[in-house]
């Protein structure tokens, strides 16, 4: 199974509403990152949170990290139609060989 | 600054053939990683190159190989193509090796279809 698993797999909301996506992982990490992918395109980095951080903000994005529960959440406030995309969490282990391991993603649909 | 460039954008090959994909990283970036994305398996790490050396490798068969040149450009090669190799192949670059907390900058990928 993958290191990161997002929940829910799909989410449909109205413009202006908030969207929350969750990510769980299995091993100890150095950092956790969130990426967005528009259909058929590459991934765009949104935010990185280190293992010693609990919360981070960037514009309308808020990320939390709970290392005791091995989980993270991404909150997008006041969503817009342009936020429609797939969102992935990615983790980097804290020891050994490191490569970003991506979760299965959450497909977010924001209805105008 | 130009982003990560992947060529070609689309590719159709026949089973048994081989294919080479190219990636030009952002200027100054020395790390290039490759990922395979499929609907069933999601994003899977192939390998990372840093300063022409393979730093890390995912769980893919030896048919998948790569290299990095002195200008940091990278190529990946898949030999003896199988139907299951159909996927979006994504290249990502970063200033430093992934072992440090460097975000990845992705290209738009090469869509490979094997018939």
């Amino acid at each position: 199974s993958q290191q990161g698993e997002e929940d829910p797999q799909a989410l449909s909301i109205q413009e202006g509403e908030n969207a929350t996506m969750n990510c769980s992982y299995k091993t100890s990490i150095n950092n956790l990152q969130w990426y967005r992918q528009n259909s058929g395109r590459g991934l765009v980095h949104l935010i990185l949170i280190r293992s010693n951080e609990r919360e981070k903000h960037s514009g309308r994005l808020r990320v939390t990290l709970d290392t005791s529960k091995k989980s993270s959440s991404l909150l997008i406030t006041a969503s817009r139609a342009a936020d429609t995309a797939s969102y992935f969490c990615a983790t980097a282990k804290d020891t050994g060989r490191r490569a970003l391991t991506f979760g299965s993603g959450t497909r977010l649909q924001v209805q105008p | 600054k130009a982003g990560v460039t992947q060529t070609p954008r689309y590719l159709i090959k026949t089973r048994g053939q081989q294919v080479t994909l190219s990636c030009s990283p952002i200027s100054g970036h020395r790390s290039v990683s490759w990922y395979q994305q499929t609907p069933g398996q999601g994003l899977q790490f192939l390998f990372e190159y840093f300063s022409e050396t393979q730093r890390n490798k995912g769980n893919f068969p030896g048919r998948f190989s790569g290299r990095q040149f002195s200008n940091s450009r990278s190529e990946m090669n898949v030999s003896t193509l199988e139907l299951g190799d159909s996927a979006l192949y994504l290249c990502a670059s970063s200033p430093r090796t992934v072992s440090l907390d460097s975000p990845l900058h992705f290209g738009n990928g090469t869509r490979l279809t094997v018939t």
Side-chain angles (χ1 to χ4, degrees), chain B residues 3 9 12 16 19-20 34 46 50 65 82 94 99 107 113:
Chain B
R9 187 78 174 90
I12 299 175
V19 67
T20 299
W34 288 89
L46 282 156
F50 181 81
S65 63
E82 300 176 359
S94 64
S99 64
T113 302

Side-chain angles (χ1 to χ4, degrees), chain A residues 2 30-31 33 35 37 40-43 45 48 50 88 97-102, chain B residues 9 35 37 41-43 45 48 56 88 90 98-99 101-104 106-108:
Chain A
Q2 296 195 42
N30 173 277
N31 67 75
Q33 304 178 32
Y35 288 80
Q37 183 180 35
R41 312 280 287 185
L43 282 76
H45 179 260
L48 180 153
R50 296 180 176 82
F88 296 88
R97 291 187 172 185
R98 295 168 188 168
L100 277 187
T101 304
F102 285 82
Chain B
R9 187 78 174 90
Y35 284 83
Q37 186 176 30
Q41 298 298 316
L43 279 151
F45 172 73
E48 182 205 359
N56 206 348
L88 180 65
L90 292 163
V98 176
S99 64
D101 52 2
S102 293
L104 297 183
F106 282 83
N108 284 325

Side-chain angles (χ1 to χ4, degrees), chain A residues 19-56:
Chain A
T20 300
M21 289 159 264
N22 303 297
C23 167
S24 61
Y25 57 91
K26 292 181 170 62
T27 65
S28 295
I29 60 171
N30 173 277
N31 67 75
L32 186 144
Q33 304 178 32
W34 285 91
Y35 288 80
R36 183 188 76 225
Q37 183 180 35
N38 290 90
S39 181
R41 312 280 287 185
L43 282 76
V44 174
H45 179 260
L46 296 175
I47 197 163
L48 180 153
I49 185 166
R50 296 180 176 82
S51 59
N52 61 354
E53 297 175 311
R54 292 296 167 258
E55 188 170 314
K56 205 159 182 180

Side-chain angles (χ1 to χ4, degrees), chain B:
Chain B
K1 207 179 231 187
V4 177
T5 303
Q6 291 189 245
T7 57
R9 187 78 174 90
Y10 300 94
L11 207 47
I12 299 175
K13 290 287 188 178
T14 304
R15 267 184 305 175
Q17 288 186 317
Q18 76 164 20
V19 67
T20 299
L21 311 182
S22 180
C23 172
S24 293
I26 291 172
S27 178
H29 285 195
R30 296 167 64 189
S31 167
V32 173
S33 300
W34 288 89
Y35 284 83
Q36 181 197 64
Q37 186 176 30
T38 60
Q41 298 298 316
L43 279 151
Q44 293 191 289
F45 172 73
L46 282 156
F47 24 67
E48 182 205 359
Y49 287 87
F50 181 81
S51 294
E52 301 180 66
T53 302
Q54 188 180 87
R55 293 293 298 263
N56 206 348
K57 189 177 189 304
N59 295 324
F60 278 81
R63 301 185 296 107
F64 291 81
S65 63
R67 59 178 175 168
Q68 186 180 35
F69 302 95
S70 58
N71 61 358
S72 293
R73 190 177 71 84
S74 177
E75 289 181 347
M76 68 162 281
N77 185 77
V78 187
S79 62
T80 319
L81 284 166
E82 300 176 359
L83 294 179
D85 297 333
S86 294
L88 180 65
Y89 289 88
L90 292 163
C91 164
S93 73
S94 64
R96 305 176 295 179
T97 182
V98 176
S99 64
L100 302 173
D101 52 2
S102 293
L104 297 183
H105 301 259
F106 282 83
N108 284 325
T110 293
R111 172 74 63 184
L112 172 65
T113 302
V114 182
T115 62

Side-chain angles (χ1 to χ4, degrees), chain A residues 51-65:
Chain A
S51 59
N52 61 354
E53 297 175 311
R54 292 296 167 258
E55 188 170 314
K56 205 159 182 180
H57 297 254
S58 177
R60 294 183 296 112
L61 306 180
R62 172 177 169 255
V63 168
T64 62
L65 179 64

